[in-house]
């Protein structure tokens, strides 16, 4: 139902890490340099969270507070990740870029999702989620708002990519300087969104 998850999973870390790491641990760690949070946020995933006191449900987007900080209480664990079915005429694409080696943690990861209107051209609903470029995953809401309600064209895409690059807060570190990471965000939005759009047109 969601081939994107298989595609992304293949690129996470290396085979040794993938053999032991869990989806719950990846989401709960609050580590900014991960891949899964932005993909699941783009899919509007919700978490089922359990503790001795009972169960609650939280949109994944609301989980993150700051570097390695989440809204989970000490006695709570994530027991399920619930992904609503994608509506018809939807497409999703995730692209991660690693600036040192392919098995390194990502320098930037961009998840894009679009649902098209009945004309298969107008973007009805848009998600652009930026990873690794702030303490928590970032919804590029200005870029999403610009694309929503319009058919995609190269000028619009350029503007959306530039807005998204301005909506994150990257730190300069060994994976790249702040301006470099912003530039990578723009490039990845320009690569990922048209692929999601194309998939939506076929869906
Ligand atoms: C060398 C290396 C490279 C990596 N590269 C990437 C990468 O490229 N992309 C990427 O996305 N990730 C990457 N990771 C992170 C990795 O994929 C795992 O997400 C991470 O190591 C957590 O592993 P784990 O599932 O065993 O959780 P643990 O290490 O067991 O737990 C992590 C934290 O989450 C808590 N926790 C675990 N499970 C739950 C749960 N169900 N509910 C609530 N809290 C929970 C734990 O208490 C702990 O605080 C990398 C990790 C390493 C070591």
């Amino acid at each position: 139902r969601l081939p994107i998850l298989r595609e992304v999973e293949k690129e996470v870390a290396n085979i040794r890490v993938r053999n032991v790491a869990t989806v719950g641990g990846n989401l709960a760690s609050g580590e900014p340099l991960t891949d899964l949070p932005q993909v699941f946020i783009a899919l509007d995933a919700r978490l089922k969270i359990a503790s001795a006191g009972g169960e609650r449900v939280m949109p994944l987007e609301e989980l993150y507070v700051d570097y390695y900080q989440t809204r989970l209480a000490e006695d709570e664990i994530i027991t399920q990740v619930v992904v609503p079915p994608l509506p018809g005429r939807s497409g999703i694409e995730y692209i991660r870029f690693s600036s040192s080696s392919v098995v390194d943690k990502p320098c930037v990861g961009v998840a894009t999702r679009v649902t098209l209107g009945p004309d298969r051209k107008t973007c009805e609903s848009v998600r652009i989620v930026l990873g690794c470029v702030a303490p928590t995953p970032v919804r590029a809401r200005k870029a999403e708002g610009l694309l929503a309600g319009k058919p995609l064209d190269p000028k619009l895409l350029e503007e959306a990519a530039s807005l998204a690059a301005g909506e994150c807060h990257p730190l300069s570190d060994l994976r790249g300087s702040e301006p470099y990471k912003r530039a990578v965000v723009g490039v990845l939005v320009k690569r990922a969104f048209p692929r999601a759009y194309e998939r939506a047109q076929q869906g």
Side-chain angles (χ1 to χ4, degrees):
R1 193 160 67 81
L2 290 167
I4 186 75
L5 296 180
R6 194 186 63 233
E7 289 167 21
V8 174
E9 193 273 340
K10 279 192 294 192
E11 296 191 322
V12 168
N14 55 57
I15 193 161
R16 289 168 298 283
V17 171
R18 288 198 294 272
N19 275 342
V20 291
T22 61
V23 171
N26 190 287
L27 299 179
S29 65
E31 140 88 90
L33 302 184
T34 48
D35 293 287
L36 300 189
Q38 44 274 26
V39 177
F40 279 110
I41 290 172
L43 289 166
D44 292 339
R46 297 186 307 276
L47 302 176
K48 274 203 183 156
I49 297 167
S51 70
E55 209 175 56
R56 64 179 177 135
V57 176
M58 180 195 287
L60 173 61
E61 195 182 342
E62 293 174 15
L63 178 70
Y64 299 103
V65 178
D66 206 336
Y67 287 106
Y68 298 96
Q69 279 181 39
T70 68
R71 292 202 162 78
L72 290 175
E74 273 193 16
D75 64 343
E76 286 184 318
I77 58 167
I78 297 168
T79 53
Q80 277 184 49
V81 182
V82 182
V83 180
L86 273 181
R89 302 186 303 270
S90 293
I92 178 161
E93 176 66 309
Y94 176 69
I95 306 184
R96 82 197 295 274
F97 175 71
S98 183
S99 49
S100 49
S101 101
V102 283
V103 293
D104 187 24
K105 293 182 178 177
C107 160
V108 178
V110 172
T112 61
R113 189 195 118 189
V114 62
T115 301
L116 298 177
D119 63 357
R120 291 186 182 272
K121 285 187 181 157
T122 307
C123 300
E124 217 170 58
S125 139
V126 176
R127 298 280 181 279
I128 298 180
V129 190
L130 315 176
C132 320
V133 283
T136 66
V138 174
R139 282 268 306 270
R141 289 182 189 274
K142 289 183 193 159
E144 291 177 358
L146 180 77
L147 291 163
K150 304 182 190 88
L152 186 63
D153 70 45
K155 185 167 170 281
L156 192 66
L157 182 61
E158 193 71 45
E159 284 174 37
S162 152
L163 278 178
E167 290 188 76
C168 53
H169 312 280
L171 283 182
S172 293
D173 61 17
L174 78 168
R175 290 183 175 81
S177 66
E178 188 220 312
Y180 175 79
K181 290 181 186 178
R182 283 190 197 278
V184 175
V185 166
V187 169
L188 296 192
V189 169
K190 282 192 274 183
R191 286 185 191 166
F193 193 78
R195 286 196 212 162
Y197 189 84
E198 212 177 287
R199 286 179 168 175
Q201 287 186 309
Q202 290 157 5

